[in-house]
Amino acid sequence: MILSPLKTKFKHYNQNQTTLLPYSFDEFIVAQHPVRIVNQVVESINIKPLLKAYSEEGNPAYHPKMLLKVMLYAYMNNVYSSRKIELAIRENINFMWLTGMTVVDHNTISRFRTNKLKDSFKEIFKQVVLMLASEGLISLKHYRWLCFIRSIVTNMGVKKL
């Protein structure tokens, strides 16, 4: 049976429709989404060890909290390549929310991981683990969490925690 286009009803669809007010990504991310936990954790930890890696000279840098949130959320989702992280920042609403629609290129992501985060990684990671454990969000005995820790350590080039 072929439906006649005149009798079939569809909901209105116009992807070029403009809105009076722009959408807020905050409205599209549910309250208990893991991206919100990453945001909350990074906002709560002390990043002074990370700030030591930055110079007052030169052009302004992307905020280290934003880059740290992106790295943690990417690693949680098994995304390790700086090019894939850049693509996620451009295409994934959760990454867009974390960055406030700031697009960070893969070179900056790679330099942050290798140059800035390298010396402070252990201290920051320790804070994150202790905070998540104190909130009851993780258990160090949990196998998946141990795999997550191992993947981060492997990708960071850290030999011992």
Side-chain angles (χ1 to χ4, degrees):
M1 177 178 162
I2 299 176
L3 297 176
S4 168
L6 298 175
K7 294 182 181 180
T8 306
K9 294 182 181 179
F10 297 104
K11 292 185 178 189
H12 177 73
Y13 169 71
N14 179 358
Q15 69 186 112
N16 296 319
Q17 176 70 42
T18 57
T19 59
L20 181 60
L21 299 172
Y23 293 111
S24 167
F25 288 130
D26 202 49
E27 298 170 7
F28 298 116
I29 300 172
V30 295
Q32 296 303 318
H33 195 280
V35 74
R36 291 191 183 272
I37 295 170
V38 168
N39 183 64
Q40 181 183 359
V41 166
V42 173
E43 288 295 329
S44 302
I45 64 172
N46 176 9
I47 65 161
K48 286 183 183 175
L50 179 57
L51 296 177
K52 292 177 186 176
Y54 287 86
S55 170
E56 292 180 5
E57 299 174 4
N59 289 330
Y62 291 105
H63 201 288
K65 277 188 178 182
M66 186 225 356
L67 293 171
L68 184 58
K69 290 173 189 180
V70 166
M71 296 303 298
L72 287 174
Y73 189 65
Y75 283 16
M76 276 180 57
N77 288 283
N78 296 319
V79 180
Y80 306 107
S81 158
S82 58
R83 290 180 190 270
K84 288 184 180 177
I85 294 171
E86 177 186 2
L87 184 64
I89 290 170
R90 292 178 184 277
E91 296 180 350
N92 184 310
I93 191 169
N94 298 319
F95 283 93
M96 290 177 190
W97 180 74
L98 281 177
T99 64
M101 288 295 294
T102 302
V103 177
V104 182
D105 68 280
H106 64 275
N107 289 320
T108 302
I109 294 165
S110 181
R111 283 192 302 267
F112 175 76
R113 178 174 33 207
T114 56
N115 300 338
K116 306 293 186 199
L117 195 55
K118 179 178 64 172
D119 294 333
S120 58
F121 173 75
K122 288 181 185 179
E123 177 59 32
I124 288 174
F125 188 70
K126 177 180 159 187
Q127 288 182 57
V128 170
V129 170
L130 292 175
M131 177 177 286
L132 291 174
S134 71
E135 295 290 324
L137 295 172
I138 63 160
S139 168
L140 293 178
K141 295 178 182 177
H142 192 267
Y143 176 76
R144 186 171 179 182
W145 179 246
L146 292 175
C147 290
F148 172 64
I149 292 171
R150 186 177 59 211
S151 69
I152 289 179
V153 171
T154 301
N155 283 293
M156 291 298 299
V158 178
K159 302 298 182 211
K160 296 179 186 175
L161 278 177

